[in-house]
Amino acid sequence: MRPRLVVDYGLARRAVLAELRAGRLARDEACDAHPYLLRAARHHGEPTDRPCPVCQQVRLVHVTYVYGDELGHAAGQAKGAAELAEMAKEYGEFRVYVVEVCQGCAWNHLTVSYVLGHQDQATDQ
């Protein structure tokens, strides 16, 4: 399983945190996770060792969503790492989005997106 077309949103994350720390962004604007995202974090999230950059009290959880034309009913669902590996064998191409979520203060930010799937594997190597 080799990710392709990786987009790292680290610069955008740092910019939001800088705005928050400088007082130009209110905490409730930065910590605005939708209830469905918080529920997905609780039930489908993968814990990390990183503390929340806002509240510093709760460890972040990564929630991974998948989207793609081939996925049908699975598009938009939260998936775990093991499921992604199986999907990469089954589907030609789909995009994966990883969101970090704090279940304490509701901080959330898109961290990375990438493409998985067996399509064009021979040309990627």
Side-chain angles (χ1 to χ4, degrees):
M1 180 171 82
R2 246 179 65 182
R4 305 184 305 274
L5 303 172
V6 177
V7 179
D8 184 336
Y9 296 92
L11 288 175
R13 178 184 185 270
R14 284 193 292 275
V16 170
L17 290 171
E19 292 289 306
L20 182 64
R21 290 183 181 122
R24 292 185 295 269
L25 180 66
R27 184 172 172 161
D28 63 340
E29 291 179 273
C31 300
D32 63 350
H34 191 280
Y36 288 143
L37 178 57
L38 292 171
R39 187 175 303 133
R42 186 171 47 253
H43 297 290
H44 304 287
E46 296 182 0
T48 72
D49 291 334
R50 295 179 43 206
C52 173
V54 178
C55 72
Q56 298 290 321
Q57 297 179 11
V58 177
R59 293 185 191 271
L60 293 172
V61 174
H62 283 168
V63 181
T64 304
Y65 289 99
V66 294
Y67 291 91
D69 293 338
E70 292 181 54
L71 300 182
H73 73 281
Q77 292 183 357
K79 299 291 182 181
E83 292 173 289
L84 291 177
E86 288 301 313
M87 291 177 70
K89 296 175 190 171
E90 184 177 345
Y91 297 103
E93 183 174 285
F94 60 96
R95 183 155 283 281
V96 178
Y97 296 89
V98 181
V99 180
E100 66 180 19
V101 181
C102 175
Q103 295 177 328
C105 71
W107 160 261
N108 65 105
H109 202 279
L110 178 62
T111 60
V112 67
S113 69
Y114 53 90
V115 172
L116 287 178
H118 57 74
Q119 184 175 335
D120 298 324
Q121 279 186 338
T123 60
D124 284 348
Q125 296 177 3

